[in-house]
Amino acid sequence: ADARRTSSPPHHSISRIEMVDHVVRLPLTSRVGVGALVLLHIVHRTAPSVSAILCLVPGNTFSGMVWNVITSAFVERSLVGLVVSSAAFGIFGRIFEPRWGLHETWRFVLVCAVSSALGSCVFIMIIYVATRSEQLLFVELSGLSGVVSGIAVAIHQAAHSDAQRAEVPTWLVGESRKVAMLYLLIHASWCLLTGRAVEILLAVNGLTFGWVYLRFYQPHESELGPSASVGDTSE
């Protein structure tokens, strides 16, 4: 009995091994995405001045700080946002990287991030021209909500595609639209409660441009050959 007790690894050691194993088995898209989110969240907490350079500020972006349209997506200022965005990246990578490939999954992420950022900037600039409120030029936007909204669209599309339905978790197949709408509702409520209502624009633009890309522009060479059509061929 003593020998068995001494040869058995501690329970906490097994848990750590299992945790590391789960992380290693995550697709590269998920690992890189979650890693970037965690890193920039730490930067935001420990070096706010650096974080401010990475966030989307319309006045600065149009003045030359164009990297904001990408970096801002990975700056989650709240722990809740970090957890939600990390979970979304984990699900996204597991479902789509095996089918789309690493290149296309990241192209989709960047399309949603850049289009949601630029769309929000343009909208804010239009309001600025109409109101001449200079505060609008220096409002900070950040977070992955634009990409998460695009991911919700992709999951909804996959859940209704005969070719991709098997790759979507069972609990999402019949509830994909409700999950997307629930996320937008909770996100909008959170933005209003925290005084960052302008960040609702990121989610709305991500949803819109994510759908446009998937519906009309996403290439399917890996499935249909070099002369493949683009967009959602299921409709």
Side-chain angles (χ1 to χ4, degrees):
D2 292 338
R4 284 196 298 269
R5 280 198 296 270
T6 55
S7 62
S8 300
H11 178 71
H12 61 82
S13 297
I14 296 176
S15 299
R16 289 174 185 173
I17 293 172
E18 290 176 347
M19 184 180 299
V20 171
D21 183 56
H22 283 307
V23 171
V24 170
R25 285 190 296 170
L26 279 174
L28 185 58
T29 298
S30 301
R31 281 182 280 159
V32 173
V34 173
L37 286 166
V38 172
L39 176 62
L40 292 187
H41 180 74
I42 293 172
V43 169
H44 169 70
R45 294 287 185 182
T46 58
S49 59
V50 176
S51 175
I53 297 174
L54 301 175
C55 292
L56 184 71
V57 180
N60 293 342
T61 301
F62 286 116
S63 298
M65 296 173 64
V66 294
W67 59 83
N68 293 163
V69 298
I70 296 177
T71 58
S72 60
F74 295 91
V75 180
E76 284 290 1
R77 289 182 275 188
S78 71
L79 187 59
V80 173
L82 176 64
V83 171
V84 172
S85 296
S86 297
F89 243 120
I91 295 172
F92 175 65
R94 282 188 178 277
I95 295 175
F96 294 103
E97 186 178 305
R99 185 171 186 83
W100 290 358
L102 183 63
H103 180 267
E104 177 57 27
T105 52
W106 273 103
R107 176 160 55 185
F108 180 71
V109 168
L110 294 178
V111 163
C112 291
V114 172
S115 60
S116 62
L118 287 178
S120 300
C121 277
V122 169
F123 183 84
I124 289 172
M125 292 300 290
I126 291 173
I127 300 300
Y128 163 71
V129 170
T131 63
R132 292 297 174 180
S133 174
E134 292 189 2
Q135 291 182 345
L136 291 171
L137 295 178
F138 301 102
V139 64
E140 287 188 4
L141 296 87
S142 68
L144 201 70
S145 58
V147 177
V148 174
S149 296
I151 290 173
V153 174
I155 291 175
H156 178 68
Q157 183 193 75
H160 291 79
S161 167
D162 292 336
Q164 301 182 64
R165 185 178 298 120
E167 300 163 7
V168 180
T170 306
W171 62 274
L172 273 175
V173 171
E175 307 293 338
S176 56
R177 184 186 297 273
K178 293 179 181 178
V179 170
M181 293 300 103
L182 182 62
Y183 169 73
L184 288 176
L185 178 62
I186 293 175
H187 176 70
S189 301
W190 177 261
C191 289
L192 291 172
L193 289 172
T194 56
R196 299 204 298 264
V198 70
E199 291 187 355
I200 297 173
L201 290 172
L202 293 173
V204 172
N205 282 309
L207 183 77
T208 303
F209 289 108
W211 178 83
V212 169
Y213 175 76
L214 291 171
R215 182 66 181 88
F216 299 107
Y217 297 107
Q218 186 183 40
H220 296 282
E221 288 88 352
S222 61
E223 299 175 37
L224 305 175
S227 60
S229 59
V230 296
D232 183 5
T233 57
S234 65
E235 298 182 342

